[in-house]
Amino acid sequence: MKKIEFTKEEKAEIVSHIRQYFDRELDPIGVLPAEFLLDFFAEKIGPYFYNRGLRDAHAAFLKKMEDFGEEIYLLEREGEKNG
């Protein structure tokens, strides 16, 4: 699997959220430790969230395909019956 990477801006925003959480709930944390924590989460925990997102997207796609199939069925017309 490809490594989960963030843009510079995304990483700064996520690190800010981590630091705010630590300030509010635990002990204050510096930028570097917060970046290491983010890297750990991205490597070890991120794949679980990524895979869940893929499964959710797949389920949504299948539902739309089912709806599409129903729409096609509604467009079908019966031919004339000779008899």
Side-chain angles (χ1 to χ4, degrees):
M1 183 175 113
K2 184 178 176 186
K3 181 180 176 184
I4 297 172
E5 295 183 16
F6 301 103
T7 66
K8 188 176 180 180
E9 294 79 17
E10 290 171 330
K11 191 168 190 173
E13 186 173 344
I14 296 168
V15 165
S16 174
H17 288 300
I18 291 171
R19 293 186 73 208
Q20 289 171 17
Y21 175 80
F22 269 74
D23 287 346
R24 191 175 56 252
E25 302 293 335
L26 303 166
D27 292 327
I29 186 174
V31 173
L32 198 56
E35 287 181 359
F36 289 149
L37 186 59
L38 172 59
D39 291 341
F40 170 78
F41 286 151
E43 180 183 340
K44 301 295 183 183
I45 299 168
Y48 292 100
F49 286 96
Y50 178 81
N51 291 340
R52 174 60 56 94
L54 286 178
R55 285 192 299 274
D56 290 348
H58 184 247
F61 177 76
L62 290 177
K63 173 70 175 123
K64 288 294 180 187
M65 290 303 296
E66 184 178 300
D67 293 345
F68 186 63
E70 289 174 12
E71 291 296 321
I72 290 174
Y73 177 76
L74 292 174
L75 294 173
E76 289 181 357
R77 300 178 184 185
E78 288 189 33
E80 289 185 32
K81 298 193 177 132
N82 295 329

